[in-house]
């Protein structure tokens, strides 16, 4: 019956060795998991930075495109105002004949005012125009909304009424 205590000691030693091996394996696995997580973290940070750079580049391109479109819109507005001014001025003599000199003078005055407005608009850069618009809206918000609504209605009627070209 002496072999039983030796077998118990051997079992305990084997069990202790197995526990030590399991601890060592768990420690090695933990280190490997931390290394892998660190590598993934670095990869994600790099990808995030790359995405941020791409977004900044796209925003810059969009800003340039918007500035170009705004400049084109400003030029078209100046041309449109100048065209209306010219039409009013050219029709002032007809107004003189049909309605009287007083109304013809009103037309000439309106044409002159439109010319001045076109010149002022052309002389200002987009930043100044934006500042002017913000100041106008701050001073007269109801009037600004009314003008925007009227302008929107006018533009929609203008484009709805124009024939489409096949060119």
């Amino acid at each position: 019956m002496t072999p039983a205590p030796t077998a118990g000691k051997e079992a305990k030693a084997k069990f202790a060795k197995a526990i030590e091996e399991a601890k060592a394996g768990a420690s090695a696995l933990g280190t490997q998991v931390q290394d892998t997580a660190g590598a993934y973290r670095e990869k994600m940070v790099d990808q995030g930075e790359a995405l941020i750079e791409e977004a900044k580049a796209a925003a810059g391109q969009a800003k340039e495109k918007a500035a170009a479109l705004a400049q084109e819109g400003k030029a078209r507005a100046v041309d449109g105002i100048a065209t209306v001014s010219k039409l009013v001025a050219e029709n002032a003599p007809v107004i003189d004949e049909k309605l009287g000199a007083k109304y013809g003078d009103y037309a000439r005055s309106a044409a002159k005012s439109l010319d001045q407005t076109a010149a002022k608009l052309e002389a200002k850069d987009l930043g100044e125009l934006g500042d002017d618009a913000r100041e106008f809206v701050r001073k007269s918000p109801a009037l600004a909304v009314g003008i925007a609504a009227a302008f929107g209605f006018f533009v929609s009627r203008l484009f709805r009424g124009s024939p489409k070209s096949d060119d």
Side-chain angles (χ1 to χ4, degrees):
M1 297 233 176
T2 48
T6 307
K9 286 183 182 179
E10 269 184 47
K12 282 184 182 180
K14 285 183 180 181
F15 184 71
K17 186 178 178 183
I19 295 259
E20 285 178 30
E21 287 177 3
K23 285 181 182 178
S27 176
L29 184 60
T31 302
Q32 183 181 6
V33 166
Q34 287 178 348
D35 291 345
T36 303
Y40 280 127
R41 191 175 308 115
E42 281 183 37
K43 186 176 180 181
M44 295 306 291
V45 167
D46 291 343
Q47 286 178 345
E49 289 173 355
L51 288 173
I52 288 171
E53 289 303 316
E54 286 179 26
K56 285 180 181 178
Q61 290 173 351
K63 189 175 181 180
E64 289 173 12
K65 178 92 172 169
L69 289 173
Q71 195 66 35
E72 182 181 331
K74 176 186 152 190
R76 286 185 179 189
V78 167
D79 289 345
I81 292 170
T83 300
V84 170
S85 171
K86 185 178 177 184
L87 286 171
V88 171
E90 288 174 352
N91 286 304
V94 174
I95 295 172
D96 282 339
E97 288 177 21
K98 302 236 179 196
L99 300 174
K102 180 179 176 182
Y103 294 105
D105 289 342
Y106 288 147
R108 280 184 276 285
S109 175
K112 183 177 178 182
S113 179
L114 286 170
D115 273 339
Q116 290 171 349
T117 301
K120 286 178 186 177
L121 182 61
E122 189 170 25
K124 290 187 177 191
D125 69 1
L126 294 175
E128 290 175 312
L129 291 174
D131 293 342
D132 289 350
R134 280 189 285 279
E135 185 64 26
F136 176 76
V137 170
R138 267 189 226 114
K139 286 182 179 179
S140 307
L143 184 58
V145 169
I147 289 170
F151 182 74
F153 176 76
F154 173 73
V155 169
S156 71
R157 297 293 292 178
L158 182 70
F159 287 116
R160 192 176 345 166
S162 66
K164 296 184 180 183
S165 64
D166 293 330
D167 296 10

